[in-house]
Amino acid sequence: MVIQKEKKSCGQVVEEWKEFVWNPRTHQFMGRTGTSWAFILLFYLVFYGFLTAMFSLTMWVMLQTVSDHTPKYQDRLATPGLMIRPKTENLDVIVNVSDTESWDQHVQKLNKFLEPYNDSIQAQKNDVCRPGRYYEQPDNGVLNYPKRACQFNRTQLGNCSGIGDPTHYGYSTGQPCVFIKMNRVINFYAGANQSMNVTCAGKRDEDAENLGHFVMFPPNGNIDLMYFPYYGKKFHVNYTQPLVAVKFLNVTPNVEVNVECRINAANIATDDERDKFAGRVAFKLRINKT
């Protein structure tokens, strides 16, 4: 025998819902008395307050072990990489001598990049250091902040300085300058107290033939020890990285040339095939002439 459940009218459903929300006989709101709701709210207030306090305490303890100026772990930055300027997509430096727009973008990027290296700015902000030795500035128990930086003057870049240069870093004449810089690694003593320099060459035999002659500034692509160590962005507020400029004099026109530049230093490995930028950088150079 099937017992059919009595269907409730719409009015009955509404009345039951009203009674559930607020029952005037038992003074219950949504099935609970005011005391019950107070205990529940108090429980969750204490519970989430405890979680917030525990999280805040954990973060505070962790932050006490972290320096504001030096990364705690630098094991993946043991070998600095090299990069080029002007910075281009896929590291391709393509110049069409007869098309001003093709190389003017490079010139504008270089003007902005080299502005902090102006001799007047360097003389105002940085020190004249003794070449051939590290410029160490230990704290000796007292925070030595900010650290001073050694001058790297734009005029050291010779024919690639862009100062009063009608050829626009050589880009308007098909003899472009490419700048090599070493990435910053905090507290790294590059060179291990020995002289170091940057060298460039074609990656393959045909590249070497098409690359032609080039000159480097400073001479021989030297990088002095006095620009190291680097103490970090917050400590070394006016630090300007040493640069090496390469001026390519007679690249075979209308041919893509693969160039690789390396840093020759006692404590920088350049043969790690897993990291193509460790101590070196490879880029493509093409000078188009009609």
Side-chain angles (χ1 to χ4, degrees), residues 24-270:
R25 291 179 293 101
T26 60
H27 296 89
Q28 290 181 336
F29 175 71
M30 299 188 73
R32 291 183 180 275
T33 64
T35 303
S36 177
W37 278 114
F39 279 122
I40 288 177
L41 292 175
L42 178 63
F43 169 79
Y44 280 108
L45 180 64
V46 173
F47 177 70
Y48 285 112
F50 172 76
L51 290 181
T52 302
M54 186 173 65
F55 175 77
S56 300
L57 178 62
T58 303
M59 291 296 296
W60 180 82
V61 171
M62 184 191 70
L63 290 174
Q64 302 312 301
T65 66
V66 178
S67 171
D68 289 336
H69 304 94
T70 307
K72 187 171 183 179
Y73 300 105
Q74 300 185 74
D75 54 308
R76 298 188 65 181
L77 296 174
T79 302
L82 298 184
M83 278 300 295
I84 67 167
R85 292 293 185 272
K87 189 176 182 180
T88 62
E89 187 175 357
N90 300 323
L91 299 182
D92 294 341
V93 181
I94 302 175
V95 179
N96 189 340
V97 177
S98 60
D99 181 9
T100 304
E101 291 186 1
S102 74
W103 49 262
D104 185 63
Q105 57 178 330
H106 300 322
V107 173
Q108 298 304 320
K109 290 178 181 178
L110 291 178
N111 285 338
K112 184 177 181 180
F113 173 68
L114 293 175
E115 185 176 353
Y117 291 89
N118 288 340
D119 291 21
S120 58
I121 296 177
Q122 289 292 310
Q124 180 184 0
K125 294 184 176 181
N126 294 336
D127 295 343
V128 176
C129 301
R130 179 180 173 182
R133 70 177 190 178
Y134 296 118
Y135 190 32
E136 297 180 279
Q137 303 170 72
D139 292 334
N140 293 328
V142 180
L143 188 62
N144 181 10
Y145 171 82
K147 307 287 188 184
R148 299 291 296 173
C150 294
Q151 292 184 20
F152 188 96
N153 293 311
R154 190 168 176 173
T155 51
Q156 294 177 240
L157 299 173
N159 292 339
C160 286
S161 67
I163 300 174
D165 182 7
T167 69
H168 306 286
Y169 305 100
Y171 283 84
S172 64
T173 59
Q175 296 179 321
C177 292
V178 176
F179 297 82
I180 313 295
K181 72 181 189 72
M182 185 164 61
N183 294 337
R184 305 176 184 185
V185 178
I186 296 177
N187 290 328
F188 179 67
Y189 287 77
N193 244 335
Q194 302 177 41
S195 61
M196 54 184 165
N197 72 317
V198 172
T199 55
C200 297
K203 293 197 70 173
R204 297 182 292 268
D205 291 342
E206 57 268 29
D207 292 320
E209 293 178 5
N210 293 324
L211 186 60
H213 297 90
F214 56 86
V215 291
M216 308 185 80
F217 307 95
N220 301 317
N222 289 329
I223 296 179
D224 201 279
L225 299 178
M226 65 181 176
Y227 301 107
F228 304 94
Y230 169 62
Y231 288 101
K233 187 175 182 179
K234 288 190 175 182
F235 267 143
H236 244 152
V237 291
N238 294 321
Y239 181 79
T240 43
Q241 296 160 271
L243 303 175
V244 171
V246 188
K247 186 175 183 63
F248 299 95
L249 302 177
N250 55 345
V251 177
T252 302
N254 307 317
V255 174
E256 188 176 89
V257 183
N258 295 285
V259 186
E260 184 176 73
C261 296
R262 296 172 177 256
I263 178 75
N264 301 302
N267 59 345
I268 301 178
T270 60

